[in-house]
Amino acid sequence: MADIIKLLPDHVANQIAAGEVVQRPASVVKELLENAIDAGATLVKLIVKDGGKALIQVVDNGLGMSETDARLSFERHATSKISSAQDLFNLQTKGFRGEALASIAAIAHVDMQTRVEGSEIGTHIKIEGSKIITQEAVATPKGTSISVKNLFFNIPARRNFLKSNQVELRHITDEFHRVALVHPNIEFHFYNNGSEIFNLPRAKHRQRISHVFGNKMTDRLVPVEEETEVVKISGFICKPEFAKKSRGEQFFFANSRFIKSPYLHHSVIAAFEGLIKKELYPGYFLYLEVDPSSIDINIHPTKTEVKFDDENTIYAILRSTIKHSLGQFNVAPALDFEHDPNLDTPYAYKEKGVVLPKVTVDTAFNPFQETAERKTSTSTYQKASAKGWENLFEGADASVNTEDFSSVEIESDDAVQGTFYSETESDAQAGMTFQLRRKFIVSTIKSGMLVIHQNRAHERVLFEKFLGEITVKEGVSQQLLFPLELSFSKQELIILKEIKESLNNVGFAFESLEQETVKVTGVPLIVSESGIGTVLDQLIANYKEGFEGNSISQAELLAKELAKNLAVKSGEVLDSESQLALVNDLFGCKEPSLSPFQKLTYTTISEGDIDKKFS
């Protein structure tokens, strides 16, 4: 039998490896940013075009590479980080396997310029699909600049699976956050299609978080600090009242590397037990430092999943540390039966000295002695009011003829009722409904009884209303007398700009979306002024999680989220007119039987089913 096993060519092997390392443009951004940090850069620039599909460029002022190193960096498993298997258990750098640049070069056009300090000229290399096109000397600043163009140009199937530019940009922004948050000592710049999105100067961790997520985060953070023999924990958690229904501001870093750990996430949730609802997620930025030999970061190609030697101990320490911080900064409620709050000194008076109170007494005051001013005002009022009193009773007849009222008739209640309802009309025919348990609306029909879920029914009504307004662009806006100022992070502003047109169609109006502080000048009629901030926050968070990438999905998703946030909730009391209006609106919908989330909105109980209960 002939031999059938053979070695794959390098360019094919690199494309296979690229499938593990490069899943989307954000994967390239992650690898290039980590390489820049490993090179000791203090300034890193990220430049992106068309969601990373057309261009991803990372420029740093790090060590740079010599001509030989620049050529070897694109070979498979060529690395300067490790030299033996033992080094895998003492890793201090981001990358170490040496497959990133080789994988990227196999599926894109790569252009690299690099120069080491002390060298007069640098190296310029062009690669297309693992094939080196040119390598020449060039004048370039110290450091490295790598441009990745036309990602997946030779794998059309992979390129077709990429999402829209906005979605890919959002994934790139997430990777940028993960790198920038753990390296506040490095200055970062992020440009998209020629416009600057982030300009992050060197700062401390708390300031870096505020620069990334907006100034509103400053007052929400509670510091966390603990050091043990097993792990050193630092960072911040968000106060319980700012927990959200969607994930987004949850970050774990182990030895300056972003990680995903559902197990440790559960420890944070356990620490917040009793302070937030089960469906909410608290925000946190936690930095863990452990012995490099006690952690395995090589169990996944993306290196975001790690394995700790003693996860149970870290879980317990982390939960206790967060609980301690919540109690130390008076975030968690506590009971102290020995404490009397009446004896507390107000904060404004803690530093003030003791001052005896002074009482001023007017010894010349006599309440029984009228002054000249009081006498004058009293007499003037009396004269003015008494003048012309005789004219008040002119034309009045002292005798009143009571017979004039004998023909007056009082209208009875029965006559008034007869104006609206006929004597033969039943309550059901008059549209009578009642509310059950503040959750259901019950009404009678010819075949029996109708039970409507008020929350789901209203969601269906609002969903079709908002969907029609977004597509037809006929939403009614209620202008605010005083514009409302709301703060958003730069990533939230990106999403807000993306959905601005759809929001305008349903009635929202914005003055400007260029700064972190956004002025809202108009809202839909159904949105109260006090709920504008909550509605927009939930809308942005849920849109980020669920958007699939086409205009129809965008319209449907926005309509769903608006309906979910603005619909009548279970537990709200509705008057009879509102109940009847909801019933009529529901059966005027195209799909009255299901809510936008495919749940039953109503059910009917036939007269036969009721009779069976009594048989």
Side-chain angles (χ1 to χ4, degrees):
M1 181 178 177
D3 298 333
I4 60 174
I5 297 178
K6 56 185 178 182
L7 293 175
L8 289 173
D10 286 344
H11 70 280
V12 178
N14 286 338
Q15 286 188 6
I16 295 174
E20 298 179 351
V21 179
V22 183
Q23 300 173 356
R24 61 194 331 149
S27 305
V28 177
V29 171
K30 173 183 180 294
E31 299 292 345
L32 296 183
L33 288 178
E34 290 181 348
N35 286 345
I37 293 169
D38 285 342
T42 58
L43 172 63
V44 178
K45 295 181 180 179
L46 171 62
I47 302 168
V48 172
K49 288 185 179 179
D50 297 337
K53 300 174 185 177
L55 172 67
I56 298 173
Q57 183 178 5
V58 173
V59 183
D60 67 72
N61 62 349
L63 297 176
M65 289 181 282
S66 65
E67 182 180 357
T68 304
D69 288 344
R71 183 71 175 259
L72 283 176
S73 65
F74 291 99
E75 298 295 330
R76 292 188 66 200
H77 306 304
T79 178
S80 62
K81 313 298 175 54
I82 61 175
S83 57
S84 65
Q86 188 62 31
D87 293 339
L88 290 172
F89 302 100
N90 191 29
L91 291 170
Q92 305 288 343
T93 57
K94 304 283 187 183
F96 54 88
R97 293 197 293 256
E99 85 285 12
L101 289 181
S103 300
I104 294 170
I107 55 173
H109 296 168
V110 179
D111 189 311
M112 182 173 73
Q113 298 184 23
T114 181
R115 180 176 72 85
V116 297
E117 188 175 7
S119 178
E120 293 183 358
I121 58 174
T123 303
H124 182 199
I125 297 179
K126 286 186 177 181
I127 301 178
E128 296 180 2
S130 295
K131 183 180 179 181
I132 298 179
I133 305 301
T134 60
Q135 180 175 347
E136 58 186 4
V138 68
T140 183
K142 169 184 170 289
T144 304
S145 171
I146 300 182
S147 300
V148 179
K149 304 176 183 178
N150 303 323
L151 195 63
F152 297 124
F153 79 100
N154 52 355
I155 313 178
R158 290 288 301 274
R159 189 175 180 89
N160 291 336
F161 274 100
L162 295 179
K163 303 296 183 182
S164 66
N165 293 345
Q166 292 84 356
V167 175
E168 295 300 338
L169 175 62
R170 205 172 310 132
H171 286 287
I172 291 174
T173 306
D174 289 339
E175 291 294 347
F176 179 81
H177 286 171
R178 295 167 182 175
V179 176
L181 288 173
V182 78
H183 295 286
N185 58 326
I186 299 177
E187 182 179 349
F188 287 94
H189 298 268
F190 184 8
Y191 302 90
N192 175 53
N193 293 336
S195 61
E196 185 179 64
I197 299 180
F198 287 98
N199 184 351
L200 306 178
R202 300 180 190 179
K204 295 182 179 180
H205 278 109
R206 190 183 195 116
Q207 294 172 318
R208 176 56 60 87
I209 294 172
S210 298
H211 290 159
V212 171
F213 292 101
N215 295 328
K216 63 182 181 180
M217 289 297 298
T218 304
D219 298 330
R220 299 182 180 182
L221 300 178
V222 177
V224 176
E225 193 76 33
E226 186 63 48
E227 185 173 359
T228 65
E229 295 180 356
V230 178
V231 61
K232 179 182 178 182
I233 301 173
S234 61
F236 302 90
I237 54 176
C238 292
K239 296 177 181 179
E241 57 264 33
F242 298 106
K244 297 182 178 180
K245 290 184 178 180
S246 61
R247 306 190 182 202
E249 296 169 358
Q250 289 91 27
F251 293 89
F252 273 120
F253 302 96
N255 293 356
S256 299
R257 182 190 302 275
F258 172 79
I259 64 171
K260 296 178 181 179
S261 177
Y263 186 64
L264 295 183
H265 173 76
H266 186 272
S267 70
V268 178
I269 299 297
F272 277 87
E273 186 178 3
L275 299 178
I276 61 176
K277 297 180 180 179
K278 291 184 178 181
E279 65 271 14
L280 299 181
Y281 297 96
Y284 54 80
F285 307 87
L286 297 173
Y287 305 85
L288 312 179
E289 293 183 22
V290 299
D291 185 357
S293 61
S294 67
I295 181 175
D296 186 0
I297 60 177
N298 198 28
I299 64 175
H300 193 273
T302 61
K303 300 184 285 290
T304 56
E305 297 180 12
V306 300
K307 178 66 177 177
F308 295 96
D309 286 351
D310 194 357
E311 280 189 327
N312 294 335
T313 302
I314 296 178
Y315 179 100
I317 294 174
L318 181 61
R319 182 180 60 180
S320 301
T321 302
I322 294 176
K323 280 190 173 183
H324 176 70
S325 295
L326 291 172
Q328 183 180 8
F329 293 93
N330 294 326
V331 177
L335 293 177
D336 186 358
F337 297 102
E338 304 293 332
H339 178 70
D340 186 1
N342 295 323
L343 301 179
D344 288 344
T345 303
Y347 180 79
Y349 290 87
K350 284 187 177 181
E351 304 299 330
K352 292 186 177 182
V354 179
V355 180
L356 292 175
K358 296 180 180 179
V359 179
T360 303
V361 179
D362 184 5
T363 56
F365 176 72
N366 186 352
F368 301 102
Q369 180 179 0
E370 292 185 339
T371 61
E373 182 180 354
R374 291 175 61 191
K375 288 181 178 179
T376 305
S377 61
T378 304
S379 59
T380 304
Y381 172 76
Q382 290 175 346
K383 290 180 180 179
S385 60
K387 184 177 181 180
W389 65 272
E390 302 91 342
N391 299 329
L392 293 176
F393 299 98
E394 288 184 359
D397 192 358
S399 61
V400 179
N401 187 7
T402 58
E403 295 181 357
D404 295 338
F405 297 95
S406 59
S407 60
V408 175
E409 294 182 0
I410 306 298
E411 189 174 19
S412 66
D413 293 340
D414 295 337
V416 176
Q417 277 190 339
T419 306
F420 298 97
Y421 304 109
S422 64
E423 295 178 2
T424 60
E425 191 173 23
S426 64
D427 287 346
Q429 292 171 330
M432 299 297 292
T433 61
F434 70 91
Q435 193 175 21
L436 177 64
R437 300 285 184 181
R438 298 183 179 181
K439 186 176 182 180
F440 303 102
I441 297 174
V442 181
S443 179
T444 56
I445 55 178
K446 290 183 178 180
S447 60
M449 186 166 60
L450 177 70
V451 182
I452 299 175
H453 194 292
Q454 66 182 35
N455 173 250
R456 297 177 186 177
H458 201 208
E459 284 181 349
R460 165 52 64 179
V461 172
L462 293 181
F463 170 71
E464 295 196 3
K465 173 180 178 293
F466 288 131
L467 186 61
E469 290 177 349
I470 292 175
T471 54
V472 183
K473 303 180 181 181
E474 293 183 351
V476 179
S477 178
Q478 177 183 357
Q479 297 301 306
L480 299 178
L481 184 59
F482 301 101
L484 182 64
E485 293 188 355
L486 300 174
S487 297
F488 296 98
S489 65
K490 292 186 177 180
Q491 188 178 19
E492 290 172 338
L493 281 178
I494 294 174
I495 299 176
L496 205 56
K497 290 178 182 178
E498 186 178 339
I499 61 177
K500 178 185 176 183
E501 183 178 356
S502 297
L503 291 178
N504 289 340
N505 292 338
V506 298
F508 283 98
F510 305 95
E511 186 172 303
S512 174
L513 293 179
E514 301 302 325
Q515 303 297 328
E516 290 186 7
T517 301
V518 175
K519 287 186 177 181
V520 182
T521 58
V523 295
L525 297 176
I526 196 172
V527 180
S528 64
E529 186 174 350
S530 59
I532 297 174
T534 304
V535 170
L536 289 178
D537 284 340
Q538 291 297 327
L539 194 63
I540 292 172
N542 294 333
Y543 178 83
K544 178 183 176 182
E545 294 292 328
F547 181 50
E548 294 298 333
N550 55 70
S551 59
I552 297 178
S553 294
Q554 182 193 58
E556 290 182 358
L557 181 62
L558 288 177
K560 282 183 179 180
E561 296 305 327
L562 283 170
K564 181 179 178 181
N565 283 281
L566 300 176
V568 172
K569 302 297 186 292
S570 297
E572 294 187 25
V573 179
L574 301 179
D575 56 32
S576 57
E577 293 182 358
S578 300
Q579 296 171 23
L580 188 58
L582 181 56
V583 173
N584 294 333
D585 291 342
L586 175 63
F587 289 101
C589 294
K590 296 180 180 178
E591 289 284 344
S593 59
L594 293 175
S595 75
F597 304 95
Q598 302 304 307
K599 294 183 179 180
L600 202 63
T601 58
Y602 71 88
T603 185
T604 58
I605 303 175
S606 66
E607 186 177 353
D609 293 336
I610 299 174
D611 288 336
K612 289 178 182 179
K613 298 292 183 181
F614 295 94
S615 60

